[in-house]
Amino acid sequence: MDWNVLYSKEKSPSMEQVTEYINNSLWTDFNNRIQSTYRIRPCMEHSRCSMQAGWNIKYKKGGKSLCTLYPMQGYFIALVVVGSHEFTEAEFLMPQCSDYVQTVFKNTKTGNGQKWLMLDVRDREIMDDVFRLINLRKRIPS
């Protein structure tokens, strides 16, 4: 069943329900890793955004968005914004990323010096690439 049908704006899912819906161990691995690495907690929000409407999970640090996660059946989408400050570094990083992430980066239009990368996290390589991109936005605390 579609995520937005299961959980309307008035009916917020629990993190357990999100985990059940996605049904992929990468989801748990990703959330554990981002929370421990950046010492942050998830924030569940409802969005009417045309890119991916419905309930999503945001991670922010120091007022800066690190990523937004969108539940899908069997996988999840990670939205990472590559801003003007990170753009050059991201271009240098791309040859180290998976072919999939390189293709998404190349095909995503730049607007106001930013790229909004919607990445389907279906395997560990893509997940690791997402963390490389997040690290451009916010360096790992020491």
Side-chain angles (χ1 to χ4, degrees):
M1 184 176 281
D2 185 54
W3 181 246
N4 290 332
V5 173
L6 278 173
Y7 301 103
S8 66
K9 184 178 181 178
E10 293 76 31
K11 184 180 178 187
S12 167
S14 68
M15 284 302 277
E16 291 79 19
Q17 289 169 315
V18 174
T19 300
E20 246 178 59
Y21 181 81
I22 294 171
N23 193 27
N24 185 324
S25 63
L26 288 174
W27 172 254
T28 302
D29 295 349
F30 187 98
N31 283 283
N32 289 339
R33 182 172 168 186
I34 196 166
Q35 289 178 49
S36 66
T37 301
Y38 295 97
R39 300 181 188 131
I40 54 177
R41 305 294 302 160
C43 177
M44 193 163 315
E45 294 183 8
H46 190 274
S47 172
R48 293 186 316 190
C49 172
S50 62
M51 289 177 81
Q52 192 70 34
W55 288 98
N56 58 59
I57 294 81
K58 292 186 187 278
Y59 283 102
K60 298 177 185 178
K61 180 78 172 183
K64 193 178 232 187
S65 175
L66 298 184
C67 67
T68 302
L69 307 177
Y70 300 93
M72 307 298 287
Q73 284 189 308
Y75 69 102
F76 59 98
I77 298 170
L79 166 64
V80 180
V81 178
V82 176
S84 57
H85 291 91
E86 304 92 23
F87 203 85
T88 301
E89 284 183 87
E91 289 179 317
F92 283 120
L93 176 66
M94 280 304 116
Q96 299 169 43
C97 291
S98 65
D99 290 343
Y100 167 73
V101 171
Q102 289 181 50
T103 299
V104 171
F105 185 84
K106 179 182 165 195
N107 294 337
T108 300
K109 291 182 181 176
T110 303
N112 296 328
Q114 300 179 330
K115 284 189 183 251
W116 289 47
L117 305 176
M118 297 286 284
L119 300 164
D120 294 354
V121 180
R122 295 177 183 266
D123 63 42
R124 193 157 301 279
E125 182 181 23
I126 295 167
M127 184 175 85
D128 290 343
D129 289 346
V130 169
F131 275 98
R132 286 185 191 98
L133 290 164
I134 290 170
N135 196 41
L136 295 179
R137 292 191 61 74
K138 188 73 174 180
R139 298 292 178 201
I140 298 172
S142 49

